């Protein structure tokens, strides 16, 4: 075995539920996206993510089934059936229409994981407008860049987060209004803002969903590139076809499941698998407002009888640190299936699942642009610890060389590419078609990742093919961090890299040169650090800042991050022929 870990074999009789895929090979051979489409409710060829996830269940046998169990950060629990969700999202859709939101408008969300965030996103989709959720821990700068990029018309936020919006409001010419969710917090809001409670008051519980077709815009998530500002990967309503299919066959949803996805909707996993996949399958899900804590998390699984759990490698590494015996103190016997995504899952992590939960952890791979899972470990296939698994049926990933030709030979490293055409493929980078087009070559979508494929068709992640940093599963653009750094009066130039880290996989490390008249001191570094945390938010700001004399640059003036990284890690510097002479 490549990783030194034995394959974890599977036997149907050992699984706690009969899996939705019994025979992977025949599922792949007979796959038809049209059949999946026909399992959804698409009257006259129209499709709307809110209808698939909420209304069709509320209008059918699942009306009184629990859709959302919300666990607040201080332990308050609220429960909503599919009928409740239909009512709440209809009220919001009517309220948003009154606020002037129309089909195609970009509506940004900056909110913690509270029920209103979920009502708001689906209310937006019912209107045919585009929902763009942001990570609530972002500082004003990343918020500004994203709203500017997509000419956002409205920001929906909470009283607690409003200050960040106020800081950048004057730089957002497209912004027409800010809606403040005032239902859980009685802080006063400014007159110019729209109060959620007032907007919703007296609104009808009935709403006719705007006619949307498969290619109408639905949701936008921002992702980081090596250069330039964040890119708004825009998706269409057809995406839900992939959400539904991967929910059924990768997450293996069964009617009685209680599902928990730990991702925040500010990132794509938190919408694709924290909203659309479970609800399009009519599954009950737990939504937890709070943050990570080993005890808290085990308590949630125990308290709500979670059966299917989707989390991330950084969280698993933190749980490993707390020890398997910690997990054993809780009754986690309802768990039947555990998955992870966002970064490479160490083989140790896969196997640790057996120790802690009697269940291996199933890794899977996808990204913002793919909209849904592309490569996965399935309940019925043997797991090769360290591998991302095999392609989802109807999806054709491959390893290609620099010319865009498929590499057939096993275990040869190349670029991971996917044959375009799966339903949830992003349709553009908003206002940047050129960059979108640059992601396709020779009939392949280029993922920006490097990988290998073994002789049996399992894919193995190698690394990113660019400088984008993956810290705790969140992609960070070095450019965005460098831009914030050089805003500080002491900083002349900055180069930012991902530094390997045992827990978060990578942490953001910055190298800076100082302007004349500034000398390095702990106070200065602290000040620069504070500046970054305020501008960017703690999830993006550098963990480590080092002052150096000269930043290595190419002759054309581009910072050579690759070289900074090699020097940091004590690795060979590789080809330095383009390095600027000192
Ligand atoms: P995002 O677009 O923010 O969801 O990030 C997607 C990127 O995260 C991928 O292109 C990979 O670089 C990384 N990633 C996601 N899942 C995995 C995985 N299972 N193994 C390794 N890297 C992953």
């Amino acid at each position: 075995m490549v990783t030194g870990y034995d394959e974890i074999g599977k036997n149907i009789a050992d699984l706690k539920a009969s899996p939705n895929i019994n025979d992977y090979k025949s599922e792949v051979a007979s796959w038809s996206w049209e059949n999946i489409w026909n399992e959804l409710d698409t009257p006259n060829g129209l499709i709307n993510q809110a209808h698939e996830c909420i209304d069709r269940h509320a209008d059918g046998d699942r009306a009184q089934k629990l859709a959302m169990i919300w666990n607040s950060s201080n332990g308050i629990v609220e429960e909503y059936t599919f009928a409740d969700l239909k009512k709440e999202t209809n009220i919001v859709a009517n309220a948003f229409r009154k606020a002037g939101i129309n089909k195609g408008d970009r509506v940004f969300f900056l909110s913690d994981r509270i029920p209103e965030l979920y009502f708001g996103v689906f209310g937006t989709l019912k209107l045919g407008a585009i929902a763009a959720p942001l990570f609530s821990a972002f500082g004003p700068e990343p918020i500004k860049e994203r709203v500017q990029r997509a000419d956002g018309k409205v920001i929906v936020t909470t009283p607690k987060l409003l200050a960040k919006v106020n800081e950048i409001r004057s730089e957002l010419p497209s912004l027409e209004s800010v809606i403040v969710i005032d239902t859980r917090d009685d802080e006063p809001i400014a007159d110019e803002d729209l109060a959620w409670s007032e907007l919703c008051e007296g609104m009808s519980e009935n709403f006719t969903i705007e006619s949307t077709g498969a290619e109408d815009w639905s949701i936008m998530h921002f992702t980081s590139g090596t250069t330039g500002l964040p890119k708004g990967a825009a998706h269409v309503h057809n995406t839900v076809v992939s959400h539904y299919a991967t929910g059924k066959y990768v997450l293996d949803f069964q009617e009685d499941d209680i599902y928990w996805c730990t991702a925040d909707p500010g990132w794509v996993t938190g919408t694709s698998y924290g909203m659309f996949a479970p609800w399009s399958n009519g599954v009950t899900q737990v939504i937890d407002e709070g943050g990570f804590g080993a005890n808290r998390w085990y308590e949630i699984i125990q308290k709500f009888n979670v059966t299917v759990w989707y989390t991330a490698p950084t969280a698993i590494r933190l749980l490993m640190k707390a020890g398997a015996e910690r997990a054993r103190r809780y009754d986690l016997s309802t768990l039947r299936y555990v998955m992870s995504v966002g970064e490479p899952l160490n083989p140790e992590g896969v196997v640790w699942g057996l120790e802690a939960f009697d269940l291996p952890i199933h890794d899977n791979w996808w990204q913002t642009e793919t909209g849904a899972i592309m490569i996965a470990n399935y309940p019925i296939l043997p797991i090769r610890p360290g591998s991302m698994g095999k392609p989802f049926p109807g999806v054709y990933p491959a390893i290609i060389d620099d010319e865009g030709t498929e590499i057939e030979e096993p275990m040869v490293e190349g670029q991971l590419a996917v044959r375009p055409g799966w339903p949830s493929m992003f349709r553009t980078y908003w206002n940047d078609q050129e960059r979108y087009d640059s992601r396709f070559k020779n009939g392949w979508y280029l993922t920006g990742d490097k990988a290998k494929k073994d002789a049996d068709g399992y894919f193995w992640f190698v690394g990113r093919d660019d400088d984008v940093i993956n810290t705790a599963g969140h992609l960070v653009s070095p450019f965005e961090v460098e831009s914030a750094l050089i805003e500080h009066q002491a900083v002349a130039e900055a180069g930012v890299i991902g530094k390997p880290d045992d827990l978060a996989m990578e942490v953001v490390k910055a190298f800076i040169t100082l302007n004349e008249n500034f000398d390095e001191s702990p106070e200065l570094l602290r000040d620069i650090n504070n500046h970054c945390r305020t501008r960017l938010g703690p999830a993006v700001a550098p963990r480590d800042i080092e002052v150096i004399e000269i930043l290595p640059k190419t002759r054309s003036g581009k910072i050579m991050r690759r070289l900074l990284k090699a020097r940091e890690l004590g690795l060979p510097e590789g080809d330095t022929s383009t390095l600027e002479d000192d």
Side-chain angles (χ1 to χ4, degrees):
M1 202 66 310
V2 187
T3 57
Y5 283 86
D6 289 340
E7 183 168 286
I8 303 173
K10 295 293 187 77
N11 183 343
I12 289 206
D14 295 339
L15 300 172
K16 289 189 185 171
S18 168
N20 292 330
I21 283 195
N22 272 318
D23 180 346
Y24 172 79
K25 263 194 191 149
S26 72
E27 201 67 62
V28 169
S30 62
W31 188 262
S32 142
W33 283 113
E34 202 183 327
N35 288 348
I36 298 289
W37 171 277
N38 290 335
E39 288 180 32
L40 297 169
D41 183 31
T42 53
N44 305 318
L46 296 175
I47 186 164
N48 183 287
Q49 288 181 240
H51 175 74
E52 298 309 328
C53 293
I54 298 176
D55 288 21
R56 78 182 176 112
H57 306 307
D59 297 341
D61 295 343
R62 295 191 179 111
Q64 296 313 320
K65 182 176 176 180
L66 270 189
M68 164 158 68
I69 305 172
W70 180 65
N71 187 48
S72 83
S73 42
N74 45 18
I76 295 167
V77 176
E78 291 179 13
E79 295 184 337
Y80 298 87
T81 61
F82 281 101
D84 294 332
L85 282 192
K86 178 175 178 185
K87 186 184 88 182
E88 297 292 348
T89 55
N90 281 352
I91 291 172
V92 172
N94 284 311
F96 280 10
R97 178 165 281 163
K98 188 172 80 174
I101 299 172
N102 297 310
K103 189 171 181 180
D105 288 342
R106 271 76 65 208
V107 182
F108 280 78
F109 290 85
L110 182 74
S111 164
D112 292 327
R113 290 182 296 279
I114 53 175
E116 287 77 0
L117 167 64
Y118 295 76
F119 305 156
V121 167
F122 282 97
T124 302
L125 295 174
K126 286 189 166 182
L127 278 168
I130 305 171
L134 297 173
F135 190 39
S136 59
F138 275 155
E141 197 64 30
I143 299 169
K144 182 185 84 185
E145 279 162 3
R146 285 158 177 77
V147 179
Q148 277 179 346
R149 191 89 182 148
D151 300 318
K153 183 173 183 178
V154 173
I155 300 179
V156 181
T157 189
T158 62
K160 198 177 85 191
L161 299 168
L162 185 59
K164 297 199 241 190
V165 177
N166 286 340
E167 234 182 272
I168 50 166
R169 215 186 257 250
S170 62
E171 296 169 77
L172 301 174
S174 64
L175 188 69
E176 289 181 13
S177 45
V178 175
I179 299 175
V180 186
I181 305 170
D182 57 340
T183 38
R184 295 178 185 273
D185 186 341
D186 51 14
E187 265 183 53
I189 61 167
D191 287 347
E192 67 206 271
D193 294 329
L194 304 171
W196 175 282
S197 58
E198 268 175 48
L199 264 183
C200 290
E201 204 176 297
M203 284 292 122
S204 165
E205 294 176 6
N206 299 314
F207 184 84
T208 305
I209 294 182
E210 187 72 30
S211 292
T212 51
E215 291 303 309
D216 277 316
W217 301 114
S218 61
I219 189 149
M220 191 182 317
H221 276 285
F222 288 80
T223 182
S224 300
T226 316
T227 55
L229 292 171
K231 307 164 285 180
H235 291 277
V236 293
H237 282 276
N238 203 35
T239 301
V240 75
V241 175
S242 293
H243 295 151
Y244 169 75
T246 51
K248 182 170 174 182
Y249 293 115
V250 180
L251 285 78
D252 194 44
F253 286 138
Q254 318 264 339
E255 193 63 47
D256 295 333
D257 273 325
I258 306 286
Y259 165 69
W260 181 30
C261 169
T262 60
D264 186 87
W267 308 97
V268 72
T269 307
T271 57
S272 290
Y273 294 97
M275 294 183 181
F276 306 125
W279 286 340
S280 61
N281 278 276
V283 161
T284 305
Q285 68 164 331
V286 174
I287 288 160
D288 176 41
E289 186 192 17
F292 176 84
N295 291 342
R296 263 198 91 244
W297 278 25
Y298 292 143
E299 272 158 23
I300 288 173
I301 296 172
Q302 179 176 269
K303 179 170 170 189
F304 299 110
N305 299 320
V306 172
T307 57
V308 176
W309 187 28
Y310 197 17
T311 188
T314 295
I316 290 165
R317 288 191 286 269
L318 286 166
L319 293 174
M320 284 170 78
K321 224 174 136 195
E325 62 290 351
R326 181 85 68 97
R328 296 280 176 193
R329 278 185 224 154
Y330 295 82
D331 178 5
L332 309 179
S333 57
T334 53
L335 265 187
R336 68 170 183 87
Y337 195 45
V338 187
M339 288 153 295
S340 138
V341 75
E343 320 147 56
L345 177 62
N346 333 37
E348 298 79 4
V350 176
V351 177
W352 180 81
L354 288 168
E355 225 184 292
F357 317 118
D358 295 324
L359 298 166
I361 295 167
H362 293 72
D363 187 21
N364 52 61
W365 178 94
W366 61 291
Q367 51 179 199
T368 304
E369 288 87 343
T370 69
I373 295 167
M374 299 279 101
I375 298 173
N377 285 285
Y378 304 84
I380 193 53
L381 278 189
I383 298 178
R384 298 189 173 173
S387 157
M388 310 186 287
K390 291 195 175 194
F392 188 72
V395 172
Y396 305 98
I399 307 299
I400 61 167
D401 63 19
D402 290 344
E403 275 68 55
T405 308
E406 186 167 353
I407 303 173
E408 304 280 359
E409 209 183 320
M411 290 320 251
V412 174
E413 186 179 312
Q415 162 114 231
L416 178 60
V418 188
R419 189 70 80 198
W422 69 95
S424 62
M425 190 177 89
F426 73 134
R427 299 297 198 265
T428 195
Y429 286 129
W430 203 259
N431 287 336
D432 199 351
Q433 187 64 24
E434 206 178 305
R435 194 181 278 259
Y436 177 79
D437 293 339
S438 75
R439 297 297 297 265
F440 296 86
K441 184 174 182 175
N442 222 9
W444 293 104
Y445 161 66
L446 310 177
T447 69
D449 283 349
K450 286 183 291 185
K452 302 185 223 182
K453 184 169 94 167
D454 70 21
D456 301 312
Y458 283 82
F459 282 76
W460 299 77
F461 184 78
V462 173
R464 296 274 318 174
D465 202 19
D466 56 23
D467 294 334
V468 172
I469 300 160
N470 188 331
T471 179
H474 301 152
L475 296 194
V476 171
S477 152
F479 175 80
E480 209 173 355
V481 182
E482 287 158 6
S483 308
L485 277 160
I486 57 176
E487 274 177 17
H488 191 281
Q489 53 170 351
V491 180
E493 289 179 308
V496 167
I497 62 160
K499 179 178 161 183
D501 181 79
D502 282 348
L503 280 181
M505 189 170 110
E506 288 187 310
V507 292
V508 178
K509 165 142 193 189
F511 295 89
I512 55 170
T513 60
L514 295 179
N515 279 319
E516 274 177 43
N517 306 329
F518 287 92
D519 291 322
E520 185 181 349
S521 69
E523 294 74 44
L524 180 65
L525 286 180
R526 227 178 354 258
D527 194 59
I528 297 172
N529 191 30
N530 283 343
H531 160 82
C532 289
R533 286 178 73 85
T534 318
R535 296 304 291 157
L536 299 168
V540 182
R543 176 85 69 84
D544 193 2
I545 302 175
E546 186 176 328
V547 178
I548 55 176
E549 282 298 309
I550 298 168
L551 275 182
K553 279 188 267 158
T554 62
R555 286 173 219 277
S556 59
K558 271 175 76 180
I559 294 162
M560 293 183 83
R561 301 187 186 107
R562 178 177 57 76
L563 205 62
L564 283 171
K565 192 159 182 169
R567 287 179 185 170
E568 170 74 21
L569 303 182
L571 297 173
E573 295 194 357
D575 179 9
T576 53
S577 57
T578 56
L579 186 64
E580 181 188 58
D581 300 326
D582 289 352

